[in-house]
Each structure stands twice: as C-alpha cells, then as structure tokens.
Amino acid sequence: MRILSGIQPSGSFHIGNYFGMMKKMIEYQEQHELFCFIANLHAMTTVADGELLAKQTLDAATTFLALGLDPEKAIFWVQSDVPEVNLLTWVLSNFTPLGLLERCHSYKDKIARGFSPHTGLFTYPVLMAADILLYQSERVPVGQDQKQHLEVTRDIALKFNGQYGQVFTIPEPEISEEVAVVPGTDGQKMSKSYGNTIEIFAEKSQLQKKVMSIVTDSKSVEEPKDPDSCNVFKLYRLFLSRDEAEALRQRYLQGGVGYGEVKKALAEAIWQYFTPHRERKKALEEDREFVRKILKAGAEKARSVANETMKEVSKRVGIIY
Ligand code: ADP
Ligand code: TRP
C-alpha cells in the first residue's frame, strides 16, 4: 500500500500533530511504501518571512527524523524540491470548480482569523491534491481537519480521470477515531492557531506549566469524576497502555483522585516519552548538513515517481514532454 502525508513547517510541533499524524506515519514505514514530506509551499500561505520559513522547514525535518522517521525505509523530502508539483497544480486547477474551493472550511476559518485572502490561501487544496495525486497515493493519513481537502482531491482526480481516462489513483483518507482530535489545554482541538498547545520538545518547566494549565471542572479530590469529559484524562490516555488507562478510568469513577496529581503524572509521562527523541534531535541539530543530505536524496527518489505521473499527465493534456 502506498501511503502519503505531509506536514506544514509552520512552528513547533505539538502532541496533537504527533498523535494525529506523525506517529502513525512513522509506524507505517515498517510495512508500507511511505511517502512523507515537509509542506513548505503550503506554509508560505501563512508564513511571510523567508528566513523563518527556511529555519522552520529544516527544523520540521529534524523533528520528524528525531521522532523516528527512517529515510532508508521511507521517502522523505521537502515539497519544493520536487518542482513538478507546481506544474501539476496548474493542470489540476483547470479541473477544480470554484465552488469546490469556496466551500472549504479551512480557507473560511483562516480568513475569519484575519489572514489576507490571497489566492495562495484559496488554491491551497489544489496544491494539496497535486501532492497526493503526483505520487499515486492510495491512502492519506490526516487529522479530521483535513478530511474536506481529501474530498476535494478525490473530486478533482475523478474529474480528470473522467475527461482523460484512468491516470490518477483515487486516494482514501485515513482518520483514526481514537486520536481524531487531540484536545488542547483549553479543551478545544489542540492547534497552533488557538494557543493551547503542548509542544513535543518543550523545556521541562514550560511543559509542566502547560500541563498544569489544562482546564478541568472544579470537583474536589474525593468526588467521583467523569474521565470521558476530562481533558487531562483524554491526553493522558494517549501515553498509557489499555490496562493503565482502564485503571485510571476506575480511579476517576470511584473518586479519591485529584486533578493536580494526575496533571503532575501526565507532565512526567510526556517528558519521559519524548526523552530519547529529544536527545536524537539535539544530535541532528549539530549536523545540519547530514539532514540536508537526507532531504536531497529523498527528493530524488520522490522526483522519479513524480516524473512518471507527469509524463502521463502531459501526454493526456497535450503538453509536449
Ligand atoms: P495546527 O492546527 O496546530 O496548525 P496543522 O494544521 O499544521 O496543525 O496540522 C498538522 C497535522 O497534524 C495534520 O495532519 C493535522 O490533521 C494534525 N493535527 C493537528 N492538530 C491536531 C489535533 N489536535 N488532533 C489530531 N490531529 C491534529
Ligand atoms: N494541508 C496539510 C496540513 O495542514 C498538509 C499537507 C499538504 C498534506 N499536502 C498534503 C497532508 C498532502 C496530506 C497530503 O496538515
């Protein structure tokens, strides 16, 4: 199975990104043909500072590698290193009804949050469709918020195939239910845009501070509590085995456990969980050239697949290739 996903380098990654996307991707490299990239062209729609974007791109790649992405097993690259994606975006834009993009929540949300409504933001889903279709991806793991973009991709691919015959694989979205939405410290979806994140590689004191700030109800230690509506429980569960989560659930239901105690344990669990990765990240940061080399080699592999698709697309649409 060919699995593809990308992540924007638009800031430090948080545990919502990790459980919603990165962890799954890293697991897939063992059994699938995995394509994974840093979506720096998408990040340009919201980051208008070149130096910052370059820094974040390299940092995102370093983070992914530190978390366990293995360039021997997966194809791993930076989006802009395969320029064919831009040509395909243009081709696909001619198969994208305006109304399809006008309905996209992500675009409407960004405008509502004050981003300038430029065409990059508007045609973002077409570039995403090109990312997916260029590599003939079969499955695309993303969080709930990207589901609509996958639907747009499928619509565009079907329209193109309808006109020119079978060229693109129709991709399936994969949204795993138990981690579909990782809550932030305020209980909304964890997101950079909401300022409610817990960063994967936060300093310890910062991590503790963030975890202690998770919003709970005001039940006393003795009172029985509902684990399923508790943000601390929902986050802690991600770091526990099934049995450990069940044991904590019972303690909640019986009463006698305080939120402060659980928060302290959660901060420690997050810290421990990422410790080996933190160390690997530090080592990679000292060898930026090594990271760049990995990315260039990945781009070459990605590009040879991209070229196959573009040969076929060009032939069908009449671009002399
Ligand atoms: P953010 O909302 O912080 O800007 P992105 O939109 O860049 O994060 O998301 C990057 C990836 O992480 C996407 O695949 C997205 O679906 C996933 N993701 C982001 N936040 C969460 C969350 N709270 N729960 C689950 N997945 C998430
Ligand atoms: N839009 C995605 C996000 O913000 C990132 C992305 C770009 C992507 N291209 C993609 C994800 C292709 C999956 C497939 O999370």
Side-chain angles (χ1 to χ4, degrees):
M1 168 92 66
R2 183 172 292 180
I3 299 184
L4 171 140
S5 196
I7 195 156
Q8 291 189 63
S10 42
S12 311
F13 292 127
H14 52 72
I15 61 181
N17 299 138
Y18 180 70
F19 287 101
M21 190 264 188
M22 303 170 97
K23 178 166 182 273
K24 254 187 293 175
M25 292 293 277
I26 291 162
E27 285 164 2
Y28 283 145
Q29 71 191 2
E30 303 303 331
Q31 278 157 18
H32 296 282
E33 198 186 356
L34 181 67
F35 284 63
C36 181
F37 66 96
I38 307 298
N40 62 335
L41 297 175
H42 277 107
M44 281 180 79
T45 61
T46 50
V47 182
D49 175 336
E51 217 173 290
L52 182 67
L53 182 62
K55 182 184 165 296
Q56 287 183 174
T57 302
L58 205 54
D59 195 55
T62 308
T63 297
F64 233 127
L65 293 169
L67 289 170
L69 194 95
D70 182 348
E72 300 290 323
K73 294 180 180 159
I75 300 186
F76 182 53
W77 75 103
V78 174
Q79 188 183 27
S80 58
D81 281 340
V82 182
E84 286 75 11
V85 78
N86 298 307
L87 176 56
L88 185 57
T89 300
W90 177 251
V91 171
L92 297 180
S93 67
N94 297 288
F95 293 82
T96 312
L98 216 55
L100 202 60
L101 301 183
E102 280 165 349
R103 283 195 291 277
C104 283
H105 308 302
S106 162
Y107 171 73
K108 288 191 276 192
D109 284 356
K110 281 178 184 149
I111 303 302
R113 281 191 276 120
F115 285 102
S116 82
H118 54 68
T119 54
L121 211 49
F122 187 65
T123 58
Y124 178 115
V126 190
L127 175 59
M128 183 156 161
D131 287 328
I132 296 168
L133 302 176
L134 186 57
Y135 303 102
Q136 307 288 355
S137 317
E138 292 168 279
R139 215 201 282 167
V140 182
V142 285
Q144 189 74 38
D145 58 331
Q146 297 295 313
K147 197 171 161 215
Q148 194 181 29
H149 290 159
L150 261 294
E151 282 157 15
V152 169
T153 302
R154 288 167 58 93
D155 280 1
I156 296 173
L158 288 167
K159 205 149 185 275
F160 186 97
N161 285 354
Q163 172 72 27
Y164 282 117
Q166 177 63 37
V167 173
F168 295 122
T169 304
I170 307 300
E172 295 290 335
E174 184 198 281
I175 297 152
S176 92
E177 288 308 324
E178 85 261 27
V179 292
V181 178
V182 175
T185 52
D186 60 357
Q188 289 189 83
K189 169 190 179 277
M190 185 178 290
S191 171
K192 283 182 287 269
S193 335
Y194 303 148
N196 62 359
T197 55
I198 299 174
E199 276 68 37
I200 297 171
F201 293 125
E203 295 292 331
K204 193 156 192 186
S205 59
Q206 182 66 7
L207 172 66
Q208 287 164 333
K209 215 167 115 191
K210 291 236 176 158
V211 172
M212 293 319 279
S213 77
I214 298 171
V215 175
T216 61
D217 59 35
S218 50
K219 289 208 168 89
S220 68
V221 174
E222 295 73 32
E223 279 177 274
K225 301 174 181 66
D226 175 18
D228 297 317
S229 62
C230 174
N231 297 320
V232 187
F233 183 82
K234 284 188 212 165
L235 285 167
Y236 204 171
R237 197 179 47 187
L238 300 168
F239 295 89
L240 297 175
S241 67
R242 207 174 273 268
D243 288 351
E244 287 167 335
E246 189 47 38
L248 183 59
R249 167 185 293 280
Q250 291 310 323
R251 290 188 67 206
Y252 262 72
L253 294 172
Q254 281 155 17
V257 62
Y259 292 123
E261 175 201 329
V262 189
K263 284 179 178 177
K264 268 192 204 138
L266 170 60
E268 194 52 34
I270 299 174
W271 181 258
Q272 291 300 335
Y273 185 95
F274 291 115
T275 291
H277 308 296
R278 196 176 307 112
E279 285 160 11
R280 172 129 178 84
K281 182 158 188 271
K282 229 171 152 188
L284 287 168
E285 275 166 354
E286 279 159 23
D287 197 355
R288 291 293 197 190
E289 271 317 301
F290 176 66
V291 175
R292 280 180 213 270
K293 245 193 233 159
I294 289 174
L295 293 170
K296 292 292 169 203
E300 253 171 60
K301 289 188 215 161
R303 222 170 160 188
S304 75
V305 179
N307 274 321
E308 287 302 307
T309 304
M310 286 319 292
K311 236 186 247 171
E312 196 52 38
V313 169
S314 300
K315 199 167 89 190
R316 307 267 179 139
V317 302
I319 296 173
I320 298 171
Y321 200 72

